[in-house]
Amino acid sequence: MKASELPEKGKPKIKHRVSLRPFNTLSVEATAETFIEILEKEDLQTLYREGFFRKFDPFILGGGSNVLFRDNPSRPVLKISLKGIDIVAENDSSVQVRAGAGDVWHDLVEFAVQRGYGGIENLALIPGTVGAAPIQNIGAYGSEIEQVFSSLEFFDVQEGTFRSFTREECHFGYRDSIFKRDLRGRAIVTSVTLNLTKKDHNLITDYYSLTQRLREKGIEDPGIRDIFDAVVFIRKSKLPDPKEIGNAGSFFKNPVIPRDQFKQIQRNHPDIPFFEAAEGYIKVPAGWLIEQCEWKGKKVGKTGTYEHQALVIVNHGSASGKEIYQLAERIQSSVFEKFGIALTPEVNIVG
Ligand SMILES: Cc1cc2nc3c(=O)[nH]c(=O)nc-3n(C[C@H](O)[C@H](O)[C@H](O)COP(=O)(O)OP(=O)(O)OC[C@H]3O[C@@H](n4cnc5c(N)ncnc54)[C@H](O)[C@@H]3O)c2cc1C
């Protein structure tokens, strides 16, 4: 599709042969044949009218912090850059804040913390955009976006209309939502609205490393800012900064396995950490499983796993998407051979 094929008014910004390296935190080289930046909601309607969504199944890109470009994407890339943080409703005790899908998630967390709005302080410093946050129901330190989620707006590429979904309609699960399933490829999130508290905050502090940090600082009665500061401190000390070393955070989801299978594994590995999941199921930390297979801190060519967290696959410089993908496959095979558990990538594999 050429830019000249589109009408002047509401013309989206179309570029060709764009390097995606600056657009993914794993810092993998890949080229997008067509790269379209969406700066206005009208751009989506323009593309729809031009038949773009009938001809193409574009890859929707936010901050690229949960993506592995295994190869050059064969589809056009649509970078969502819709911005604007607004308060849409407010009373004495709560506030509804809406943010554009292209806003940086951490900017929204800072916006809230600075004003004393509670609800997303545990989700500080998660890379990426607001629009991607509900796609995998981002979560950290005992909290998930679904707990404060009010609604989102998305562009339905089949209908060519903007639609709104409530929390129930998003079918949130562990790193999961309807947008990864039934609506995959159909919904482009344009904005997200959250319900935050102005008083009587529902503070979550019972996450091990968070409790430890607050204790270390001598904070007995923490507020939103204390939790925010503690989370920022812990994340900076435990996770690699993508600006310094390419990574996409946790590469795999923590597997949820039947209790019987867990009991069997526990017989041979009595120290296996675990969390109760849904009735009859147990969640096991994927990082621990990978570490048991002796992958922690291992280098394989230009890729490897992070020295302090085996669950994070890193790019030591110029690893290709294929190399990283192959390492992920090797890790999956080792874990399956040793424990009979199939790890599923949390990262979205493209190309
Ligand atoms: C160092 C590091 C730490 C991390 N820690 C955490 C953590 O603690 N918890 C956690 O949950 N995640 C974590 N992540 C993963 C990542 O930050 C989140 O998944 C984040 O929400 C991805 O946002 P993004 O804008 O970069 O999305 P992208 O990587 O660009 O896209 C991710 C997926 O969402 C889709 N998507 C993006 N924008 C839209 C949109 N507007 N509409 C529809 N679909 C869209 C894409 O097509 C893709 O499938 C971490 C990543 C890194 C690098």
Side-chain angles (χ1 to χ4, degrees):
M1 172 174 264
K2 294 196 190 77
S4 58
E5 289 173 37
L6 292 163
E8 264 317 308
K9 199 166 169 287
K11 195 177 203 172
K13 227 167 133 187
I14 301 185
K15 290 185 188 159
H16 292 283
R17 296 207 50 79
V18 170
S19 164
L20 294 172
R21 193 162 189 182
F23 297 104
N24 73 97
T25 60
L26 267 164
S27 257
V28 157
E29 191 52 272
T31 305
E33 260 323 307
T34 306
F35 183 94
I36 308 179
E37 189 169 8
I38 302 297
L39 294 159
E40 316 264 351
K41 277 167 64 175
E42 291 71 37
D43 293 346
L44 295 168
Q45 286 170 314
T46 306
L47 288 174
Y48 180 81
R49 275 199 307 275
E50 294 299 314
F52 175 83
F53 295 110
R54 259 183 281 121
K55 280 187 246 159
F56 303 105
D57 168 27
F59 175 69
I60 311 304
L61 181 66
S65 65
N66 202 16
V67 173
L68 168 62
F69 291 111
R70 181 174 44 181
D71 219 327
N72 294 334
S74 53
R75 312 138 73 184
V77 171
L78 237 61
K79 162 94 178 117
I80 308 302
S81 300
L82 303 164
K83 293 200 174 161
I85 301 179
D86 297 300
I87 291 170
V88 288
E90 189 170 10
N91 60 29
D92 280 354
S93 55
S94 66
V95 59
Q96 277 198 340
V97 180
R98 182 180 57 209
D103 277 304
V104 171
W105 170 259
H106 184 71
D107 290 351
L108 176 61
V109 177
E110 279 190 326
F111 174 95
V113 172
Q114 272 161 17
R115 287 161 181 76
Y117 302 157
I120 48 176
E121 54 284 351
N122 295 51
L123 304 179
L125 229 52
I126 296 183
T129 57
V130 168
I135 305 293
Q136 74 153 0
N137 184 19
I138 56 166
Y141 302 96
S143 181
E144 284 181 322
I145 190 177
E146 72 158 311
Q147 290 156 348
V148 291
F149 186 88
S150 170
S151 64
L152 61 69
E153 184 195 64
F154 68 92
F155 185 72
D156 183 332
V157 303
Q158 272 180 26
E159 306 282 331
T161 53
F162 290 98
R163 296 170 61 187
S164 183
F165 262 17
T166 61
R167 171 178 156 163
E168 287 69 32
E169 286 170 306
C170 291
H171 296 184
F172 289 122
Y174 164 60
R175 298 296 171 273
D176 197 28
S177 73
I178 192 165
F179 306 103
K180 291 185 97 175
R181 297 169 180 272
D182 305 13
L183 291 187
R184 195 186 189 98
R186 182 167 168 180
I188 300 176
V189 176
T190 51
S191 69
V192 176
T193 304
L194 304 178
N195 280 324
L196 304 177
T197 48
K198 285 168 79 175
K199 57 183 183 187
D200 304 327
H201 307 296
N202 178 25
L203 301 178
I204 300 167
T205 56
D206 57 351
Y207 196 89
Y208 182 70
S209 49
L210 191 51
T211 317
Q212 290 259 92
R213 176 66 189 160
L214 292 169
R215 200 172 294 148
E216 260 168 43
K217 293 286 287 176
I219 299 169
E220 279 173 15
D221 185 17
I224 296 165
R225 168 69 63 181
D226 299 317
I227 295 175
F228 173 87
D229 287 344
V231 168
V232 167
F233 176 86
I234 301 165
R235 291 189 75 101
K236 281 191 172 161
S237 59
K238 283 198 175 161
L239 289 166
D241 180 351
K243 286 194 198 103
E244 282 155 27
I245 179 161
N247 77 93
S250 306
F251 200 92
F252 301 100
K253 291 189 199 182
N254 291 322
V256 177
I257 58 174
R259 187 178 294 276
D260 291 349
Q261 185 185 5
F262 173 76
K263 290 271 171 216
Q264 237 170 358
I265 297 172
Q266 199 182 32
R267 248 173 257 141
N268 297 327
H269 304 274
D271 56 341
I272 182 170
F274 65 96
F275 308 93
E276 293 292 333
E279 178 81 35
Y281 287 87
I282 301 285
K283 191 192 273 183
V284 183
W288 185 87
L289 297 169
I290 299 168
E291 206 175 322
Q292 299 309 301
C293 298
E294 294 175 13
W295 279 109
K296 189 173 174 183
K298 223 179 211 178
K299 262 190 170 181
V300 182
K302 294 173 205 121
T303 180
T305 64
Y306 188 50
E307 55 182 328
H308 303 303
Q309 172 51 277
L311 187 51
V312 178
I313 294 186
V314 294
N315 182 353
H316 287 296
S318 52
S320 68
K322 269 196 198 87
E323 269 178 278
I324 292 177
Y325 183 73
Q326 281 162 1
L327 173 65
E329 281 189 322
R330 285 179 65 188
I331 292 173
Q332 281 172 309
S333 302
S334 307
V335 170
F336 192 75
E337 268 166 37
K338 193 170 172 87
F339 297 103
I341 295 177
L343 291 182
T344 318
E346 181 184 308
V347 170
N348 298 277
I349 316 287
V350 182

